[in-house]
């Protein structure tokens, strides 16, 4: 009867250890997958950062072209009415249009760089998350193997104790 208990203890110990290893491997695989997803998301964030700058450049150029058209229309309208645009209020109007237009263009540039920066920070955070997931994958495996080893040692101790009891009982 005690030999059966020893065999059952050994079997339960082996199954427990195998289960712990499999759980550790599954946890590790999930963490590695999360790391891959994090890296892909970081790459996408990098692309969004680059796109924000490129879109900003295009929009900035469009704004400058728009302002140039407005200035041209102002000069043409004033000249058509016989107004001298080289001094006084007419010149001030044209200069104000140019200055405000340039401020708008620079605001567009600044906003695109801010957006790009936000995406870049997001990419850095996603890469850090991916690194953490890779670390968790390693830790899961190590922890699983250590837990399995502990289970084996505990089971071996129980089995040995049962064997000892059965040996003492058979001597009496």
């Amino acid at each position: 009867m005690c030999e059966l208990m020893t065999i059952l203890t050994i079997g339960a110990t082996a199954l427990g250890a195998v289960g712990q290893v499999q759980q550790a491997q599954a946890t590790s695989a999930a963490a590695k997958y999360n790391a891959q997803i994090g890296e892909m998301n970081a790459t996408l964030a990098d692309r969004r950062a680059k796109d924000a700058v490129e879109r900003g450049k295009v929009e900035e150029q469009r704004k400058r072209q728009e302002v140039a058209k407005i200035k041209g229309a102002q000069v043409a309208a004033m000249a058509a009415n016989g107004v001298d645009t080289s001094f006084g209020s007419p010149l001030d109007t044209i200069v104000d249009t140019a200055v405000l237009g340039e401020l708008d263009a620079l605001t567009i540039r600044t906003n695109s760089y801010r957006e790009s920066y936000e995406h870049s920070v997001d990419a850095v955070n996603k890469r850090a998350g991916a690194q953490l997931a890779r670390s968790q994958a390693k830790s899961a495996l190590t922890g699983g193997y250590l837990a399995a080893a502990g289970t084996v040692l505990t089971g071996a101790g129980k089995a040995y104790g049962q064997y000892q009891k059965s040996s003492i009982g058979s001597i009496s």
Side-chain angles (χ1 to χ4, degrees):
M1 177 72 172
C2 284
E3 286 182 27
L4 177 61
M5 291 301 291
T6 302
I7 291 171
L8 290 175
T9 300
I10 292 171
T13 299
L15 284 175
V18 168
Q20 287 172 328
V21 168
Q22 287 179 336
Q23 181 180 0
Q25 290 171 338
T27 301
S28 177
K32 286 178 184 178
Y33 174 78
N34 288 338
Q36 288 175 331
I37 296 298
E39 288 293 341
M40 289 188 309
N41 287 337
T43 299
L44 291 174
D46 284 336
R47 289 178 185 163
R48 285 191 296 271
K50 183 178 178 183
D51 178 63
V53 170
E54 294 303 317
R55 283 184 290 110
K57 287 178 182 178
V58 169
E59 189 60 32
E60 180 183 353
Q61 187 60 33
R62 281 188 190 143
K63 180 48 98 173
R64 286 197 173 101
Q65 290 170 348
E66 178 187 329
V67 170
K69 285 180 185 178
I70 292 170
K71 280 177 27 185
Q74 287 174 334
V75 169
M78 288 180 206
N81 290 315
V83 177
D84 185 359
T85 59
S86 62
F87 69 93
S89 293
L91 179 61
D92 290 344
T93 300
I94 294 168
V95 169
D96 286 348
T97 299
V99 168
L100 293 175
E102 185 61 22
L103 284 174
D104 286 347
L106 293 174
T107 299
I108 290 168
R109 179 190 299 177
T110 300
N111 289 341
S112 71
Y113 278 101
R114 282 185 183 140
E115 181 184 348
S116 176
Y117 176 76
E118 289 172 8
H119 291 303
S120 295
V121 168
D122 187 39
V124 167
N125 289 337
K126 286 180 178 5
R127 282 195 177 86
Q131 183 59 38
L132 176 62
R134 281 190 289 277
S135 176
Q136 289 170 335
K138 289 178 186 178
S139 295
L141 282 177
T142 302
Y145 290 135
L146 289 173
T151 298
V152 168
L153 291 174
T154 300
K158 285 181 182 178
Y160 181 73
Q162 290 172 349
Y163 173 76
Q164 288 289 71
K165 282 183 185 178
S166 70
S167 294
I168 293 173
S170 64
I171 296 175
S172 313

